Amino acid sequence: MRHHPRGGSPTGAPRRRSVSITIKTKLGTLVVVSVFITTGLLLVALKTSTELRFITVFSVIATLLITQFVAHGLTAPLDEMNTVAKGISHGDYTRRVRGADRRDELGDLASTINRMADDLEAVDRHRKELVANVSHELRTPIAALRAVLENVVDGVSAADPETMRTALKQTERLGRLVETLLDLSRLDNGVVPLRARRFEVWPYLSGVLKEANLAAAQRRLASGSGHHTRTDVHLHLDVSPPELTAHADAERLHQVVANLIDNAVKHSPPHGRVTVRARRGPEPESLDLEVVDEGPGIPEQERHQVFERFNRGATGAPHGTGGDGGTGLGLAIARWAVDLHGGRIGVAESARGCRILVTLPGLHSTRG
């Protein structure tokens, strides 16, 4: 999975403010107008000696006509909203309510229904994309594993170590996909607790980098599968000051750093360098963390897609050998883990390669 932005939408284009006329005001105006009409007709009757019964009939007719006009203006939008709401309840998210530009409560209600329809349409689209992407991700390793096993059963190939390593590679890929999907499900459902504590940054990150190197070497020797199997890329740690401390959930932060390193290594050139840089943030025990690679970087037009699930970007295949490009879920997990802390993650400007910047809020702002 290539570095990809978290898809975002503009939060809050400035809403046009105008003088609003509430329904209560309209009804009050209706009463006042009716009284004025009746009073005016009574005055006309007194000055012209018109019979009172005619004035009463005219007053009733005029009041009914005005009331009918106002009532139609109030009930017609409600009927349309009811129709649109029923359509939404049956899965039709394409319809919208007219009259969102009205300057009363009905206009506000129409805007709310339209925003709800937009959100539900986006959720439904993402759900369909998720099902399609998961199906695609599962089909590839299952088909490869089935082909290997069928060849062994049919006697086309022997069950030698090389064949079994191929089968193991696909099985491990399936396992990784299921594990990452479960992680995302837990994060989405809010069932992942945040156990934040104070820790020393340099020893912690040093351990994460060593673990990444050892895991890559072991996977390369075992089966050539796993996350990255690049052993030619140098991992460099830069922590300043050396005694820097931070307050965060160490396990969740491990997910963030490991996935960012994995992504950076996959897209590094041969014998490239990946730098993990940590600095003190503006708040007590806060942390600014960067992972910088020397790869092709991210085209500016793709940055709005950073950290979207299953999005590997369009920068081409990973460098080096042994990489399958990943499942497209690692950076999505990194984003959710940062969100769980109440922090921020995104692509920062870089003269070379890609630079991912993570900001954790520290002791007083961490949620949990």
Side-chain angles (χ1 to χ4, degrees), residues 146-164:
R146 179 177 180 178
V148 171
L149 296 179
E150 284 180 347
N151 288 339
V152 172
V153 172
D154 295 340
V156 176
S157 60
D160 53 26
E162 183 61 30
T163 301
M164 291 299 99

Side-chain angles (χ1 to χ4, degrees), residues 250-274:
E251 182 177 353
R252 298 302 155 207
L253 184 57
H254 187 285
Q255 287 181 300
V256 175
V257 179
N259 279 304
L260 292 181
I261 292 175
D262 174 58
N263 188 69
V265 169
K266 282 177 181 176
H267 295 87
S268 292
H271 307 287
R273 178 188 182 99
V274 172

Side-chain angles (χ1 to χ4, degrees), residues 260-309:
L260 292 181
I261 292 175
D262 174 58
N263 188 69
V265 169
K266 282 177 181 176
H267 295 87
S268 292
H271 307 287
R273 178 188 182 99
V274 172
T275 301
V276 179
R277 186 176 296 117
R279 297 291 186 268
R280 179 176 288 115
E283 301 296 331
E285 303 292 338
S286 61
L287 180 66
D288 289 341
L289 188 69
E290 295 179 4
V291 177
V292 185
D293 64 45
E294 298 176 341
I298 307 170
E300 187 173 354
Q301 64 272 19
E302 291 186 22
R303 293 187 178 181
H304 67 285
Q305 298 174 341
V306 170
F307 305 114
E308 287 184 359
R309 300 177 186 185

Side-chain angles (χ1 to χ4, degrees), residues 171-226:
T171 304
E172 289 178 345
R173 185 179 179 187
L174 279 173
R176 293 196 308 276
L177 177 60
V178 172
E179 182 180 353
T180 50
L181 286 172
L182 288 174
D183 284 340
L184 286 175
S185 177
R186 296 188 193 102
L187 289 165
D188 285 342
N189 294 327
V191 299
V192 178
L194 191 67
R195 299 184 177 90
R197 62 176 178 83
R198 182 176 180 270
F199 62 92
E200 296 182 4
V201 175
W202 191 91
Y204 174 79
L205 292 180
S206 179
V208 176
L209 267 64
K210 289 179 181 178
E211 180 180 331
N213 275 328
L214 289 174
Q218 290 173 356
R219 281 192 293 266
R220 186 181 185 90
L221 291 174
S223 61
S225 65

Side-chain angles (χ1 to χ4, degrees), residues 21 23-34 66:
I21 304 175
I23 293 177
K24 182 178 179 180
T25 302
K26 292 180 179 180
L27 294 177
T29 304
L30 172 63
V31 173
V32 171
V33 170
S34 300
I66 295 174

